[in-house]
Amino acid sequence: MSKNKSSECVKVVVRCRPLNRKEDTNGPAGGIVQMDLKLGQVILRNPRAPPSEPLKTFTFDAVYDASSKQRDLYDESVRPLIDSVLDGFNGTIFAYGQTGTGKTYTMQGAWLDPEKRGVIPNAFDHIFTHISRSQSDKQYLVRASYLEIYLEEIRDLLDPNHANTRLELRESPETGVYVQDLTSCVCKSIKEIEEVMNMGNQARAVGATDMNEHSSRSHALFLITVECSQPGPDGRKHIRVGRLNLVDLAGSERQAKTGVQGERLKEAAKINLSLSALGNVISALADGRSGHVPYRDSKLTRLLQDSLGGNAKTVMVATLGPAPQHYDETLTTLRYANRAKNIHNQPRVNEDPKDALLREFQKEIARLRAQLNHRKWRNKQKKDGDVWDGDGDEDTAGEEDYDEKEGEDYVTLEEQRLELEKEAIRGDRFLLAEEKQRLLGEKERMMGDLRKEQEATEQLTAKYKAMESKLLVGGKNIIDHTNEQQKMLEIKRHEIAEQSRSEREMQQQMMVQDEETLELRETFTSLQQEVEAKTKKLKKLYAKLQCIKTEIKDVNDEHVRSRQELEQTQNQLTRELKFKYLIIENFIPPEEKNKIMNRLTFDPEEDQWKFQPLVQSESKSSQMKKRPTSAVGYKRPITQFARVAMTMGPRTRYRAENVMLLELDMNPLNISSPDRYSESDPAQSPSQDSSPCKDTGVCKSNSWCQSQKSLKSSSSNGSLVACQTPAVAQ
Ligand code: ADP
Ligand code: MG
């Protein structure tokens, strides 16, 4: 892997959605969020504060107001990241914000309206258009996966059985943290990748009773892997792998934990666990002083480990609502976003990683092609009359490409030839009938072989074609409908986006510099002027000080609030713990408790306590013996003698099997002779038979031949009846 030492910050952009109809009519006039698009600033007004209180200002890489277009956000803030992914970098885009502020709108948008398509569909277009326009010596393989994290469990949304399977996170030095056994679909076109997305969205919707409720509590991650192979200067094919994570996070609002208990408390604690862990990770990284970054605290932070402080390029889209009633949440989101700006990543290109699937595909395709060419070469040898004996020069076989048409022609010709030969044999009057038969049989066999061979070739060709079609070749596989004019338009749009971005950066820098150099540039002609200027400056600094003071007060208030909440949760958990202790101490014998305690171990990977197996799997000798498989047709192993006894009818003297069957419930009414019962009237209920066993010495229970009606309550007995009755009938 090539290492690029230069680090870059997480790019943070903020988007504010328009006031919705309800907020427009209900709330006080206007929103509380103002934006300076040129400077990339968000100005927030506290609706509860007196008008004299200064407004809060935050500066970001870019800001998008209510009138912003999806396309503008994509071109300016996302396009460069996708370009990097296509060059082999890892990239992440995540939307963060309160529920209902437009995370899903930004990430997905309205698919059918070209104006409202979000980041994900635009990224699909971008990736496949890029592939179609790239040079023809490039080969691509695009894969997609879709997962969600709900209550700290990872679900594979592309697996039809996702509701029952929980995936685990694993770590490897090669790829970092990954999800084990996650479904990944190879996609050849925009349509295919859209289908994958739809499939996952449907699985998400089906799993939830209320989609909005569900989506505000679960994190959705759509992962795209783009592998690109290109010949390098050394003549060898090099593979670059770019991984793109598109993340729609759960709503960032606080979940109320107060007043809930038991399972609901655990659930509420887990819902925001990932988000608070994300907050802690961001704080630790932004702070830069604390050595420990708590990635392992949640599944989400482990999955985003590369994206935050790792080797990926990251864009965070913080979404806001302009309504005054959500002031607190909006401020928290802005603070969160502001902190994330300080995270440094070290992006690097993934070159020739060991796990590149494209390499596997290329190898497999080459192997299949060689096999097909070998067949062609063998057919050719046979056609030329030179029967292949297996030690020809096989190397030449791979040189020419296999031609399907040629293969078919060869088979038709061979068939015709064999048919003619058969006709000739049939028409040959000098041959003996026996000899004729033998020769015809031989030809028949040859024809069979030929057909088998053809079938095998067809299968091989189909496999080869299927494999090859999965690889996208630059400038070939996808029909590019875009004409030159459109291409030019796109380039211009891209240039404009770049320009406005650099303009904004320059203005931000100038603003900072202005403040710093103002003092240096000032020369005062009179004392009065100096006093005026300094008073002005003092006022400015005083305003700043007030701002910072309120900021400190806000942060303190927030800390107090969250501490109180944590204390409440702790109290509730302690109460539950005491309750469990009480049960354990009073109802579980100490020796049993010790046994259980000794067997328990904590698995940090799965964040769960686990029972160690009683029998160590290594020591085979101490393993419990498996029950032998029963003789065919019997429920259990049975001796030969017993089998013979059974065939002789129910009145055998020595039964050898089931000599005595005891009824669990020894109701005297239920005791009767099985022999009598089964012989006289099988439909008769044994409970009606009140006579005790007279003709046998041993009083046997009839549980094994009772009618099903009387045994309905026990399924195991039912199966015994089903199994035993035919044996008795024999
Ligand atoms: P979230 O995913 O954050 O819970 P949604 O994306 O579902 O929120 O958005 C909530 C509603 O607001 C949707 O009806 C959506 O269409 C609308 N909305 C969000 N952002 C915008 C925007 N920038 N422009 C217009 N409508 C928006
Ligand atoms: Mg949503």
Side-chain angles (χ1 to χ4, degrees):
M1 280 189 199
S2 73
K3 231 181 185 177
N4 182 0
K5 279 276 168 219
S6 67
S7 78
E8 65 168 47
C9 284
V10 168
K11 197 166 159 184
V12 182
V13 303
V14 173
R15 186 180 203 184
C16 183
R17 71 155 166 76
L19 275 169
N20 62 31
R21 223 178 291 158
K22 217 166 128 201
E23 291 164 348
D24 226 1
T25 49
N26 287 356
I32 51 167
V33 179
Q34 276 176 41
M35 285 179 157
D36 185 331
L37 305 186
K38 282 238 163 79
L39 276 177
Q41 280 185 340
V42 181
I43 300 133
L44 189 68
R45 175 173 64 84
N46 183 354
R48 296 185 294 265
S52 60
E53 194 184 286
L55 304 172
K56 290 189 168 62
T57 308
F58 299 86
T59 309
F60 296 99
D61 290 291
V63 293
Y64 298 91
D65 63 8
S67 61
S68 64
K69 298 218 164 51
Q70 298 272 47
R71 189 87 222 174
D72 292 340
L73 184 135
Y74 187 83
D75 282 341
E76 243 180 69
S77 300
V78 183
R79 187 174 283 278
L81 181 97
I82 308 287
D83 281 332
S84 303
V85 170
L86 290 163
D87 285 339
F89 286 95
N90 291 347
T92 299
I93 303 160
F94 65 93
Y96 175 91
Q98 193 191 350
T99 301
T101 50
K103 293 182 297 296
T104 309
Y105 180 82
T106 302
M107 292 309 285
Q108 302 208 23
W111 287 68
L112 299 177
D113 186 345
E115 286 284 304
K116 291 185 180 165
R117 284 159 73 86
V119 166
I120 295 177
N122 278 324
F124 293 168
D125 282 354
H126 185 167
I127 290 169
F128 285 99
T129 312
H130 173 94
I131 293 173
S132 71
R133 286 183 191 162
S134 61
Q135 286 151 5
S136 57
D137 61 348
K138 284 187 178 176
Q139 270 187 332
Y140 288 89
L141 183 73
V142 182
R143 283 182 286 153
S145 304
Y146 200 3
L147 64 91
E148 75 168 352
I149 306 176
Y150 183 60
L151 296 181
E152 280 306 283
E153 279 175 355
I154 300 175
R155 296 178 186 189
D156 185 349
L157 293 173
L158 303 181
D159 176 4
N161 197 23
H162 72 277
N164 304 320
T165 41
R166 303 280 170 271
L167 302 185
E168 292 304 329
L169 286 174
R170 294 277 176 266
E171 199 163 356
S172 83
E174 259 300 309
T175 41
V177 180
Y178 65 97
V179 182
Q180 198 177 26
D181 301 329
L182 182 67
T183 311
S184 131
C185 301
V186 174
C187 302
K188 290 173 288 193
S189 61
I190 298 174
K191 197 166 159 267
E192 279 188 18
I193 201 164
E194 280 181 354
E195 271 168 21
V196 169
M197 180 98 216
N198 283 339
M199 209 165 91
N201 281 344
Q202 270 165 20
R204 233 184 143 196
V206 167
T209 41
D210 178 355
M211 183 54 199
N212 245 350
E213 171 83 345
H214 181 83
S215 81
S216 68
R217 293 172 163 216
S218 70
H219 311 285
L221 276 82
F222 193 82
L223 318 171
I224 307 175
T225 312
V226 185
E227 297 185 11
C228 170
S229 137
Q230 190 182 16
D234 56 356
R236 285 177 46 223
K237 279 186 176 174
H238 290 279
I239 293 182
R240 288 178 165 197
V241 181
R243 294 188 189 90
L244 176 65
N245 305 322
L246 300 154
V247 191
D248 186 354
L249 291 176
S252 62
E253 62 279 359
R254 259 173 222 282
Q255 305 283 340
K257 283 182 216 156
T258 44
V260 290
Q261 280 183 349
E263 284 304 309
R264 287 279 296 119
L265 175 70
K266 271 192 236 160
E267 185 182 290
K270 270 185 179 175
I271 287 166
N272 261 6
L273 184 100
S274 279
L275 274 179
S276 51
L278 184 67
N280 295 340
V281 165
I282 290 178
S283 298
L285 287 167
D287 185 20
R289 275 173 293 170
S290 53
H292 172 69
V293 183
Y295 290 117
R296 296 186 84 89
D297 283 2
S298 78
K299 302 232 156 103
L300 178 73
T301 45
R302 281 198 76 194
L303 267 176
L304 294 183
Q305 194 163 338
D306 276 347
S307 318
L308 299 164
N311 62 14
K313 294 188 173 216
T314 304
V315 173
M316 170 179 178
V317 185
T319 56
L320 310 174
Q325 58 267 42
H326 299 310
Y327 170 77
D328 288 333
E329 286 299 343
T330 307
L331 185 61
T332 316
T333 306
L334 284 169
R335 287 223 176 92
Y336 210 89
N338 207 32
R339 244 177 286 157
K341 279 190 323 192
N342 301 323
I343 299 176
H344 287 267
N345 286 353
Q346 283 82 36
R348 60 159 192 250
V349 175
N350 302 313
E351 207 163 337
D352 291 327
K354 278 199 199 116
D355 64 333
L357 199 66
L358 184 57
R359 177 90 67 218
E360 299 289 313
F361 269 59
Q362 281 174 340
K363 274 189 200 157
E364 183 65 12
I365 288 170
R367 195 181 64 80
L368 290 172
R369 195 194 299 138
Q371 271 187 18
L372 281 170
N373 285 344
H374 182 80
R375 275 170 189 269
K376 174 198 166 188
W377 177 78
R378 209 171 50 185
N379 290 347
K380 214 170 156 189
Q381 296 275 317
K382 281 188 193 163
K383 205 161 82 180
D384 296 347
D386 177 11
V387 179
W388 182 69
D389 56 4
D391 41 46
D393 183 10
E394 286 180 47
D395 289 346
T396 54
E399 277 167 16
E400 279 177 70
D401 261 356
Y402 176 76
D403 182 354
E404 207 183 330
K405 178 86 178 49
E406 210 175 296
E408 276 170 19
D409 287 351
Y410 165 75
V411 173
T412 331
L413 279 176
E414 273 299 282
E415 267 181 354
Q416 280 171 359
R417 188 176 64 80
L418 284 169
E419 274 302 331
L420 282 176
E421 280 177 11
K422 267 164 77 179
E423 277 305 309
I425 292 166
R426 277 194 208 105
D428 195 341
R429 269 181 274 140
F430 298 106
L431 276 174
L432 288 174
E434 228 172 71
E435 185 69 7
K436 241 185 206 180
Q437 209 55 42
R438 193 184 60 78
L439 285 173
L440 280 174
E442 203 168 288
K443 295 289 165 203
E444 222 24 82
R445 192 179 50 76
M446 279 166 81
M447 239 158 151
D449 285 350
L450 195 69
R451 274 187 209 121
K452 262 190 225 156
E453 177 100 343
Q454 194 192 1
E455 258 171 42
T457 312
E458 274 168 11
Q459 275 176 5
L460 208 63
T461 317
K463 204 171 160 194
Y464 169 72
K465 279 189 176 164
M467 285 296 273
E468 206 186 35
S469 74
K470 283 181 183 165
L471 294 192
L472 301 172
V473 180
K476 193 167 131 189
N477 285 54
I478 307 157
I479 304 151
D480 191 3
H481 297 292
T482 345
N483 55 29
E484 281 303 310
Q485 242 175 345
Q486 255 173 318
K487 257 191 225 176
M488 285 303 291
L489 199 71
E490 264 175 42
I491 294 168
K492 283 274 170 259
R493 252 209 239 134
H494 184 50
E495 277 173 11
I496 291 169
E498 268 301 300
Q499 213 168 347
S500 64
R501 199 179 53 79
S502 59
E503 234 171 72
R504 194 168 40 242
E505 257 174 35
M506 258 153 58
Q507 276 195 341
Q508 284 176 1
Q509 277 173 5
M510 263 163 58
M511 219 169 61
V512 176
Q513 271 175 2
D514 264 3
E515 277 181 17
E516 282 171 3
T517 54
L518 198 65
E519 206 177 333
L520 296 174
R521 278 193 274 115
E522 271 172 6
T523 46
F524 306 108
T525 46
S526 68
L527 211 63
Q528 177 68 23
Q529 215 180 8
E530 192 177 344
V531 170
E532 265 173 30
K534 292 224 161 141
T535 321
K536 221 164 116 188
K537 199 172 170 203
L538 194 69
K539 269 188 190 161
K540 219 170 156 185
L541 286 175
Y542 185 73
K544 250 189 183 172
L545 180 72
Q546 292 308 317
C547 262
I548 289 171
K549 271 187 181 167
T550 47
E551 188 86 10
I552 291 170
K553 191 176 161 293
D554 282 352
V555 174
N556 271 341
D557 287 351
E558 207 183 297
H559 272 289
V560 170
R561 247 201 331 262
S562 57
R563 208 184 60 205
Q564 279 171 350
E565 255 178 41
L566 284 173
E567 277 170 2
Q568 265 173 351
T569 314
Q570 196 190 7
N571 286 344
Q572 273 158 351
L573 288 173
T574 318
R575 204 179 307 157
E576 267 196 33
L577 197 67
K578 280 182 183 162
F579 174 68
K580 299 262 158 78
Y581 258 131
L582 189 84
I583 295 176
I584 293 170
E585 295 301 328
N586 290 290
F587 295 97
I588 300 186
E591 63 274 18
E592 290 302 321
K593 191 183 86 182
N594 287 342
K595 267 191 228 163
I596 293 171
M597 300 276 260
N598 288 338
R599 275 183 63 201
L600 282 174
T601 48
F602 188 73
D603 183 352
E605 278 291 325
E606 292 185 29
D607 193 27
Q608 261 172 5
W609 285 98
K610 281 190 169 172
F611 273 110
Q612 271 182 338
L614 271 173
V615 184
Q616 290 299 323
S617 53
E618 291 89 29
S619 55
K620 276 193 181 144
S621 54
S622 61
Q623 251 180 358
M624 273 168 69
K625 283 243 165 66
K626 247 181 108 182
R627 205 180 139 158
T629 44
S630 64
V632 182
Y634 297 103
K635 196 168 163 61
R636 315 169 283 216
I638 196 163
T639 61
Q640 182 63 26
F641 181 82
R643 248 181 276 170
V644 173
M646 260 192 267
T647 52
M648 289 173 69
R651 283 186 182 275
T652 29
R653 187 158 178 204
Y654 303 109
R655 297 183 63 85
E657 272 288 316
N658 295 343
V659 177
M660 195 160 79
L661 287 161
L662 295 175
E663 183 78 345
L664 282 178
D665 186 3
M666 293 297 280
N667 184 350
L669 283 178
N670 273 350
I671 303 170
S672 69
S673 155
D675 304 346
R676 278 186 54 235
Y677 161 64
S678 58
E679 254 187 4
S680 56
D681 179 12
Q684 187 189 349
S685 163
S687 60
Q688 289 163 357
D689 187 353
S690 55
S691 60
C693 35
K694 296 168 196 157
D695 44 3
T696 48
V698 182
C699 206
K700 294 168 198 165
S701 147
N702 65 346
S703 68
W704 57 289
C705 61
Q706 275 176 342
S707 72
Q708 257 161 333
K709 198 177 149 202
S710 63
L711 286 166
K712 250 179 195 161
S713 60
S714 158
S715 60
S716 62
N717 275 358
S719 67
L720 198 65
V721 171
C723 165
Q724 293 281 6
T725 314
V728 171
Q730 278 173 30

